[in-house]
Amino acid sequence: MFETTAWKERVLRPARRVGAADALLPAALVALSFVPGVAHQGVDLVELPDDRSLDTLGLALLAAQAAPLALRRRFPLTCLVVVAAAFTAFQLLRYPNAFASLALIVALYTAGTRPPRRPAAVAAGAVAVYALVCSFLHLAGSRATVADYFAFGLVLAACCALGGWVRARALDAEERRRRAEADAAAAERARIARDLHDVVTHHVTSMVVQADTAGYLLGQSDRVGTTLTSIGETGRRALDDLRHLLGVLDAREEPAGPSLGELAGLVERSRRAGQNVDLVEDGEPRPMRPQEEEALYRVVQESVTNALKHAPDRHVVVRIDHGDEAVGARITTGGGAPPAEGSGPPRLNPGGGRGLTGLRERVGAVGGELRAGPSDDGGFTVHANIPRGEK
């Protein structure tokens, strides 16, 4: 069975509508069939005497040879069958050779560029039909010999093979282009990874070292020391996430992203940072694919982080629902006291300004859905639901 990948389908996808060029070709073939000097320059197989003038039936068969070419890109095999049938009838009825008979060559070439799903079966059927047509032509009094029929068959096969060769060249060129684009993208990801490492890692590492040093000098019993310790832990966590991101960009590693099992640590760090956060889990946790777990973790992480940023005095509830078909995460930031004038309700601004669009893209990439919006008490709720992907 003929199989093709998605990119091959894009290269050789049949046209959805008839273009001007597709309609112009059959019209030109019919018109040239009445131009002196070229009218009778066409394909001749039977070598029967041309003792029948072009009448209404002949005109219809002449048009039937060319008209199907308008749909040759969408229905190549059907086009070839109709053209071949009209060509054979035109010659068996002993009409004079016409320029429109060249449509047979065009139809064969087009069929070669778009082979059927079962090429072997179609080829065997075509050979059988050609042999049967040759037998009828011989019985009709054709002066062609067996060698003539064989040579003509080779010419027809060569026209179809030419179309297949052009198709193979087009696929090869597209494959080289696709590989070049993939190599360029991989090189760009590697460059971004190097730049991120050089620019970000140095500053975050410096922040962690200074926070640890300051906490040691002030003493762990001091509230400032506790805060600095939390800063140091947050910086180390940022370094871990950065290494994960660099691994994704480099595309030469398989980095392990955060899982739902790490939510307790995330909530504890948020509490130490001063946010009142509770984690509630319903249902029995079961293994999921890493992509789904990371998506849910990031939704919780960014929602809690933005609650800390925009509503530090509000109560946050993180509820994880381990369902049979899907896993949901609902992060609710309570309304509490009204915010300062002009500040508005707690709002989500994750991803360095990408906001809800960034979260929806992340969740949508694993087949999930995300909803977010203000709640009745002036707070904010983020709800993500992701179909369970078993490991």
Side-chain angles (χ1 to χ4, degrees):
M1 179 180 292
F2 176 75
E3 296 180 353
T4 182
T5 59
W7 68 266
K8 289 180 180 179
E9 291 177 354
R10 287 196 299 269
V11 176
L12 300 171
R13 182 182 294 124
R16 293 183 178 273
R17 61 182 64 182
V18 179
D22 293 328
L24 182 62
L25 178 59
L29 289 175
V30 172
L32 289 173
S33 298
F34 299 96
V35 176
V38 297
H40 302 299
Q41 303 298 319
V43 179
D44 186 15
L45 170 61
V46 297
E47 296 186 10
L48 292 171
D50 300 335
D51 55 3
R52 184 170 181 172
S53 60
L54 202 61
D55 52 16
T56 303
L57 177 60
L59 290 174
L61 290 175
L62 188 147
Q65 294 180 66
L69 295 184
L71 300 175
R72 68 188 185 279
R73 300 183 192 276
R74 296 187 61 185
F75 310 105
L77 190 58
T78 302
C79 172
L80 175 60
V81 171
V82 175
V83 170
F87 168 79
T88 302
F90 191 82
Q91 297 230 314
L92 278 174
L93 293 175
R94 302 190 180 193
Y95 287 110
N97 195 27
F99 194 86
S101 61
L102 291 176
L104 179 63
I105 304 299
V106 178
L108 283 165
Y109 171 84
T110 305
T113 62
R114 291 172 173 81
R117 294 184 179 276
R118 295 182 175 83
V122 173
V127 171
V129 171
Y130 179 72
L132 184 63
V133 169
C134 290
S135 300
F136 284 133
L137 293 175
H138 179 73
L139 294 176
S142 173
R143 296 188 296 269
T145 64
V146 174
D148 294 332
Y149 291 132
F150 183 76
F152 190 79
L154 289 180
V155 172
L156 299 181
C159 294
C160 191
L162 177 62
W165 178 79
V166 171
R167 174 183 180 275
R169 290 293 300 272
L171 289 176
D172 184 61
E174 176 62 18
E175 171 67 9
R176 290 197 302 269
R177 186 194 65 79
R178 188 183 65 83
R179 288 181 178 176
E181 289 181 352
D183 292 342
E188 181 65 13
R189 287 196 301 267
R191 184 191 66 80
I192 294 174
R194 290 193 301 268
D195 290 347
L196 276 174
H197 181 274
D198 294 342
V199 174
V200 178
T201 303
H202 168 74
H203 299 293
V204 176
T205 302
S206 177
M207 178 188 72
V208 172
V209 171
Q210 293 179 60
D212 289 344
T213 302
Y216 174 76
L217 293 176
L218 291 171
Q220 296 301 319
S221 60
D222 190 277
R223 180 173 176 81
V224 178
T226 303
T227 302
L228 290 172
T229 300
S230 177
I231 294 174
E233 292 178 357
T234 303
R236 278 186 284 273
R237 184 69 181 182
L239 285 174
D240 292 339
D241 287 347
L242 178 60
R243 293 189 186 98
H244 170 66
L245 174 61
L246 293 178
V248 172
L249 288 174
D250 200 1
R252 292 175 295 185
E253 305 176 7
E254 292 294 336
S259 65
L260 293 181
E262 300 178 47
L263 287 179
L266 171 64
V267 169
E268 182 60 30
R269 289 191 299 273
S270 299
R271 287 172 181 163
R272 289 199 298 266
Q275 186 74 31
N276 183 10
V277 184
D278 287 330
L279 174 63
V280 180
E281 295 194 60
D282 298 327
E284 185 67 23
R286 286 188 293 168
M288 298 175 64
R289 291 186 299 183
Q291 306 95 301
E292 279 82 0
E293 289 206 50
E294 181 178 0
L296 283 170
Y297 180 91
R298 295 302 184 191
V299 169
V300 175
Q301 180 188 47
E302 304 217 6
S303 299
V304 172
T305 299
N306 280 275
L308 176 63
K309 178 180 179 182
H310 299 290
D313 58 340
R314 311 289 177 85
H315 181 218
V316 179
V317 177
V318 177
R319 183 177 295 275
I320 305 298
D321 182 16
H322 299 279
D324 294 333
E325 302 294 334
V327 179
R330 180 183 294 272
I331 304 92
T332 304
T333 304
E341 183 177 355
S343 61
R347 56 189 176 86
L348 207 60
N349 186 30
R354 296 191 64 197
L356 292 176
T357 301
L359 282 182
R360 287 196 178 97
E361 289 176 355
R362 182 185 291 276
V363 173
V366 292
E369 179 184 8
L370 183 138
R371 300 189 303 273
S375 54
D376 294 337
D377 61 355
F380 202 89
T381 300
V382 179
H383 183 210
N385 194 64
I386 294 180
R388 180 180 293 280
E390 299 291 349
K391 283 186 175 181

